[in-house]
């Protein structure tokens, strides 16, 4: 490996981090000792996957108050867990966290990286991060931020991910010298604050040694990622109400919104647009709901019917009063909030409620 030793190249990171580190509720005061609460590290690392620190902090605090130990989380009902995760997105993380906590509660913490990586949902990055931050193991954690910093520091050409094994072998002695927890968090912090896609090199502690910065190539190392265009869909989001109950899709076991209650949806393309409408079909202004691979043009509708009708599997009439305690994703929370507001406007063109009822007794709509 032609790279200078990590312990030398990354040496400025350790004192820099000691100076700039933020007080975060999951961060231990003593970065040289094993963390006093590995469960808190696990919760924070799982929450921080795909989510910004500022968003995670209040969720973490509420979560730890509600489920303070792995044993408490393992015993909690799924609806309570999803409710506590409501709004954080990527809900499968909550289910994986419960499964990992269940394993820890039953068998205690694994004694090595392979054991951590075998816990449900951890994956190589999270297992290594928990190993370093909770247990002070020299296990290099490479996420997108760390890859970006190291690619620039070492001027790696092309996608840095194929270098993962070599980077881990290079990084491990540096962790041992400067402290696994400290250096791991320092790399994360640098990637999140200075070495962003548009880096601020002037204030970076690694500027003097950074090959990409010195060659003025930070714009091309690593090469910018091209994302596939998200799929565009249009849907009606339906609040169907009758006899003090609302109709909901029960949580499914898989998919983007697994574990969450959802409003039924229907495809506007499959319904006539100009039928005569009763006054009890209301609409609110729509919005665009953005997911990683999908953009939904959402039209929220409220249909009031005189009586409940027989629904197919996967749908359930739920007392309106119970709505507030059910876990829902952001899109469905938004319609729940609209229901609490006065108004909406009568819809002058749109679906015939009879068509919607027919659709709901036939199929559950496209879902997500
Ligand atoms: S000098 Fe710039 S490109 Fe290099 S590690 Fe620091 S912030 Fe990143």
């Amino acid at each position: 490996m032609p790279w200078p030793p990590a312990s030398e190249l990354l040496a400025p990171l350790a004192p820099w981090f000691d100076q700039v580190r933020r007080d975060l509720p999951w961060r231990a005061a003593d970065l040289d000792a094993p963390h006093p609460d590995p469960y808190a590290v696990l919760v924070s690392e799982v929450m921080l996957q795909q989510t910004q620190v500022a968003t995670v902090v209040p969720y973490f605090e509420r979560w730890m108050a509600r489920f303070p130990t792995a044993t408490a989380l393992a015993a909690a009902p799924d609806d309570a867990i999803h409710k506590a995760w409501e709004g954080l997105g990527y809900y499968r993380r909550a289910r994986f966290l419960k499964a990992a906590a269940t394993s820890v509660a039953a068998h205690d913490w694994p004694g090595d990286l392979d054991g951590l990586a075998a816990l449900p949902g951890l994956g190589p990055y999270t297992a290594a991060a928990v190993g370093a931050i909770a247990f002070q193991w020299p296990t290099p954690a490479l996420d997108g931020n760390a890859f970006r910093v190291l690619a620039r520091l070492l001027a790696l050409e092309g996608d840095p991910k194929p270098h993962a094994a070599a980077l881990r072998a290079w990084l491990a002695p540096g962790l041992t010298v400067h402290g696994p927890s400290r250096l791991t968090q320092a790399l994360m912090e640098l990637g999140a604050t200075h070495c962003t896609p548009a880096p601020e090199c002037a204030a970076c502690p690694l500027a003097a040694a950074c090959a990409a910065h010195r060659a003025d190539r930070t714009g091309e190392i690593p090469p910018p990622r091209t994302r596939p265009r998200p799929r565009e869909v249009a849907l009606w989001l339906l609040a169907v109400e009758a006899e003090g109950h609302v109709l909901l899709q029960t949580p499914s076991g898989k998919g983007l919104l697994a574990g969450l209650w959802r409003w039924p949806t229907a495809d506007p393309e499959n319904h006539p647009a100009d039928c005569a409408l009763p006054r009890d079909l209301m609409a609110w202004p729509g919005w665009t709901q953005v997911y990683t691979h999908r953009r939904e043009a959402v039209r929220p509708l409220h249909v009031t019917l005189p009586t409940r009708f027989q629904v197919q599997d996967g749908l359930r009439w739920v007392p309106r009063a119970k709505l507030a305690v059910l876990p829902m994703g952001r899109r469905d929370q938004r319609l729940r909030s609209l229901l609490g507001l006065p108004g909406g406007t009568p819809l002058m063109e749109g679906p015939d409620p009879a068509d919607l009822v027919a659709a709901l007794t036939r199929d559950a709509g496209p879902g997500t």
Side-chain angles (χ1 to χ4, degrees):
M1 208 163 0
W3 307 322
S7 57
E8 291 173 20
L9 216 51
L10 298 176
L13 265 188
W16 169 80
F17 185 64
D18 283 338
Q19 211 176 13
V20 303
R21 57 180 277 193
R22 293 170 282 179
D23 269 342
L24 298 172
W26 52 83
R27 205 165 253 173
D30 182 358
L31 294 183
D32 294 308
H35 197 288
D37 187 357
Y39 167 71
V41 177
L42 175 66
V43 172
S44 67
E45 283 302 322
V46 173
M47 285 188 171
L48 286 165
Q49 293 167 8
Q50 321 275 352
T51 310
Q52 305 267 341
V53 167
T55 305
V56 166
V57 168
Y59 277 94
F60 175 86
E61 288 175 331
R62 283 195 298 271
W63 186 276
M64 294 302 287
R66 184 88 197 271
F67 316 113
T69 62
T71 306
L73 181 57
D78 286 354
D79 262 2
I81 288 169
H82 286 114
K83 187 69 187 169
W85 203 273
E86 196 178 70
L88 204 50
Y90 298 96
Y91 291 86
R92 60 206 292 268
R93 294 181 294 172
R95 294 191 302 285
F96 282 139
L97 196 48
K98 175 174 177 173
T102 302
S103 172
V104 169
H107 308 294
D108 207 351
W109 288 93
D112 59 21
L113 182 63
D114 287 346
L116 278 182
L119 291 176
L122 257 63
Y125 166 75
T126 307
V130 172
I133 298 170
F135 301 114
Q136 296 286 1
W137 300 340
T139 48
L142 298 177
D143 68 347
N145 281 350
F147 273 120
R148 187 170 58 248
V149 173
L150 298 179
R152 286 169 170 167
L153 186 67
L154 302 170
L156 301 180
E157 302 292 344
D159 181 359
K161 293 205 172 66
H163 299 280
L167 286 171
R168 286 195 192 96
W170 174 77
L171 202 47
L175 296 181
T176 302
V177 170
H178 298 292
S181 176
R182 177 183 292 103
L183 206 64
T184 299
Q185 294 186 74
L187 258 181
M188 291 174 177
E189 191 88 357
L190 190 75
T193 56
H194 290 65
C195 200
T196 55
E200 294 172 16
C201 301
C204 175
L206 301 182
C210 177
H213 171 56
R214 287 164 54 185
D216 199 18
R217 296 185 60 207
T218 56
E220 61 198 81
I221 298 179
R225 275 194 305 164
T226 51
R227 290 182 187 277
R229 278 175 68 83
R231 195 157 66 92
E232 306 270 352
V233 294
L235 56 84
W236 285 323
L237 195 59
L238 305 170
V240 180
E241 188 161 4
E243 302 178 283
H245 288 65
V246 290
L247 188 59
L248 293 177
Q249 284 187 319
T250 53
S252 71
K254 33 183 206 184
L256 192 61
L257 301 180
L260 303 177
W261 292 79
R262 292 175 288 161
W263 300 104
T265 57
D267 179 355
E269 298 287 323
N270 290 339
H271 294 273
D274 56 354
C275 49
L277 292 167
R279 288 183 55 81
D280 54 6
L281 179 63
M282 308 289 281
W284 289 273
W287 68 86
T288 302
Q289 194 73 38
V290 179
Y291 301 93
T292 312
H293 303 297
R294 177 179 164 103
R295 284 168 60 89
E296 292 177 347
V298 177
R299 189 80 200 274
L301 302 180
H302 182 204
V303 186
T304 307
L305 301 173
T307 55
R308 281 177 276 171
F309 54 88
Q310 188 73 33
V311 293
Q312 58 171 33
D313 283 354
L315 291 169
R316 192 181 304 166
W317 289 104
V318 173
R320 202 186 209 272
K322 214 185 149 199
L323 254 185
V325 300
L326 297 178
M328 289 181 148
R330 279 188 193 280
R331 181 196 71 186
D332 299 84
Q333 285 174 50
R334 195 158 168 181
L335 178 51
R336 180 171 63 191
S337 303
L338 287 172
L339 281 182
L341 300 173
T345 51
L347 192 64
M348 301 316 292
E349 59 176 35
D352 185 329
D355 280 348
L356 296 178
V357 170
L360 294 171
T361 51
R362 204 172 50 235
D363 64 62
T368 47

